[in-house]
């Protein structure tokens, strides 16, 4: 079950005003916006925000501009629906499938491509739905890799997560399990020994950590990543190219250096998907390409992610450039 009892996570416009992270004059508009797009700022993240417009604040503090959908923006930019054989599963490639056990996250990113569906009480698969999803995976021998995503799978209790890992590991043709999560940087206190133990499996396992700025690698985040690394979990990084967050040569280099220092191998840099109300984060691809090419000479090959975009309509990821 997602744990919504974390007392100090900021979850409303009022909470943000009280914490000094939102102008009181904006409270009413942001309160209306929050009926459509959830708010959550964990204590670990709030501690990193010096100004709501800084590279951390920008990722999580809502802005009235989100109420405006630009002409090119679409509700389901990755078009998951047509690729969903059974609730909670997305299969866009022959050999691998996503499994979304819940749609809650530790924080709600203002640029999220699933922003129309993620939220604190959204999308927890029922027991029967999860059994049906597992049954589909078990009955589809072409699937070699299951990617747990959501929402954030590390919002499940260690007991539930351990149960799910065991069920997926028991499918003979599944060779690789992967989890995509923001928890190690956004809510490192959740990375307890019990949670790490729940990820133990005989199958190959990779944890892909979503982070967009070097400052997200705080001391508690570093400790959480170290704990995972000690348990033998290979760590990958995925980032989204975001205006005002990591769109300078210095910021992007610092981000991938911070990942490497914390044993996280940069895997993908994503071009922003055109989800509604996210135009303030858009960086044109030509600019992104120049940033990525500029990294070549300055940063270890280990620190070079693949810069990708989603093909509109669900065609999958393709390298930019
Ligand atoms: C991104 C994604 C994957 C994983 O792709 P990789 O390139 O293997 O990381 C799998 N399925 C879907 C639907 C995806 O969107
Ligand atoms: S953690 Fe991921 S799924 Fe959740 S709001 Fe952020 S980008 Fe979206």
């Amino acid at each position: 079950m997602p744990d919504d009892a974390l007392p100090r996570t900021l979850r409303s416009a009022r909470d943000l005003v009280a914490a000094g992270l939102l102008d009181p004059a904006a409270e009413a508009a942001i309160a209306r916006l929050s009926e459509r797009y959830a708010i959550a700022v964990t204590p670990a993240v709030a501690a990193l925000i010096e100004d709501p417009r800084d590279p951390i604040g920008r990722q999580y503090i809502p802005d009235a501009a989100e109420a405006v959908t630009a002409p090119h923006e679409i509700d389901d930019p990755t078009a998951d629906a047509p690729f969903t054989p059974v609730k909670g599963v997305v299969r866009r490639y022959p050999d691998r499938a996503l499994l979304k056990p819940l749609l809650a996250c530790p924080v709600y990113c203002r640029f999220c491509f699933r922003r129309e569906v993620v939220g604190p009480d959204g999308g927890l698969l029922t027991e029967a739905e999860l059994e049906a999803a597992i049954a589909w995976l078990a009955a589809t021998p072409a699937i070699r890799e299951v990617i747990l995503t959501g929402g954030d799978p590390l919002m499940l209790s260690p007991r539930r997560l351990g149960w799910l890992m065991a069920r997926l590991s028991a499918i003979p043709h599944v060779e690789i399990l992967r989890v995509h999560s923001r928890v190690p940087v956004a809510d490192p206190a959740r990375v307890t020994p019990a949670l790490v133990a729940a990820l133990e499996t005989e199958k190959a396992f990779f944890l892909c950590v979503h982070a967009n700025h070097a400052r997200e690698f705080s001391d508690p985040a570093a400790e959480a990543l170290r704990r995972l690394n000690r348990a033998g979990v290979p760590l990958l990084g995925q980032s989204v190219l975001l205006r005002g967050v990591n769109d300078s040569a210095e910021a992007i280099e610092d981000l991938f250096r911070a990942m490497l220092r914390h044993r996280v191998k940069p895997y993908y840099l994503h071009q922003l998907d055109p989800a509604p109300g996210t135009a303030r984060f858009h960086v044109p691809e030509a600019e992104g390409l120049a940033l990525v090419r500029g990294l070549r000479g300055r940063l270890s090959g280990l620190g070079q992610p693949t810069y990708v975009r989603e093909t509109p309509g669900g065609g999958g990821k393709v390298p930019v450039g």
Side-chain angles (χ1 to χ4, degrees):
M1 294 292 288
D3 181 0
D4 290 325
L6 297 172
R8 290 164 56 243
T9 291
L10 310 171
R11 293 193 179 277
S12 67
R14 175 158 303 179
D15 289 351
L16 294 176
V17 169
L21 295 174
L22 186 67
D23 178 353
E27 182 180 333
I30 298 302
R32 277 195 302 279
L33 186 72
S34 69
E35 289 165 20
R36 180 161 175 199
Y37 302 122
I39 295 171
V41 181
T42 57
V45 166
L48 298 176
I49 303 176
E50 286 154 8
D51 182 295
R53 286 156 300 185
D54 75 17
I56 312 296
R58 242 177 109 74
Q59 296 185 59
Y60 305 110
I61 308 299
D63 188 295
E66 291 172 39
V68 180
T69 300
H72 70 286
E73 292 174 345
I74 37 184
D75 279 7
D76 180 15
T78 61
D80 282 355
F83 297 91
T84 296
V86 55
K87 191 170 175 188
V89 173
V90 182
R91 184 203 203 176
R92 216 188 304 281
Y93 303 101
D95 68 325
R96 55 208 192 276
L98 308 183
L99 173 57
K100 301 185 279 189
L102 81 176
L103 293 172
C105 300
V107 282
Y108 294 101
C109 310
R110 308 324 298 173
F111 52 85
C112 177
F113 69 105
R114 294 209 180 100
R115 62 193 326 231
E116 298 293 335
V117 293
V118 296
D121 39 41
L124 183 68
L125 294 187
T126 65
E127 200 67 37
E129 287 166 343
L130 195 51
E131 285 295 347
I134 295 168
W136 183 88
L137 294 165
T140 311
I143 300 296
R144 309 284 191 90
E145 177 173 0
V146 178
I147 301 161
L148 292 174
T149 179
D152 196 316
L154 299 192
M155 294 297 280
L156 293 169
S157 70
R159 202 171 131 261
R160 192 72 178 144
L161 184 64
W163 173 87
L164 183 56
M165 289 288 293
R167 288 294 302 276
L168 296 173
S169 301
I171 302 174
H173 55 264
V174 171
E175 299 170 346
I176 304 167
L177 297 175
R178 199 197 308 178
V179 164
H180 280 219
S181 177
R182 206 137 166 58
V183 162
V185 294
D187 198 1
R190 274 189 177 274
V191 185
T192 58
L195 187 91
V196 175
L199 297 172
E200 170 59 27
T201 168
E202 289 301 310
K203 298 293 172 81
F205 177 69
F206 296 83
L207 179 63
C208 190
V209 179
H210 172 187
N212 304 314
H213 193 270
R215 284 211 294 117
E216 291 180 286
F217 293 84
S218 61
D219 290 346
E223 209 172 296
L225 293 167
R226 185 71 180 115
R227 190 169 292 150
L228 288 158
N229 168 262
R230 273 205 206 91
V233 173
L235 300 169
L236 303 172
Q238 63 169 346
S239 309
V240 185
L241 182 60
L242 298 168
R243 181 67 84 211
V245 176
N246 54 22
D247 60 333
S248 70
E250 190 189 8
I252 202 110
E253 178 178 339
D254 287 352
L255 168 62
F256 298 134
R257 282 195 191 284
M259 281 191 181
L260 287 180
R261 255 195 326 278
H262 296 288
R263 307 171 185 80
V264 176
K265 161 78 186 90
Y267 175 51
Y268 278 143
L269 173 66
H270 295 271
Q271 178 66 12
L272 181 74
D273 290 316
T278 62
R280 73 189 190 281
F281 293 107
H282 177 73
V283 178
E285 284 188 1
E287 213 179 310
L289 262 181
L291 286 169
V292 167
R293 288 188 175 140
L295 280 174
R296 258 291 149 202
R298 298 197 311 275
L299 181 63
S300 161
L302 283 176
Q304 314 277 343
T306 305
Y307 179 31
V308 291
R309 80 167 87 83
E310 281 305 323
T311 308
K317 294 173 191 62
V318 289
V320 177

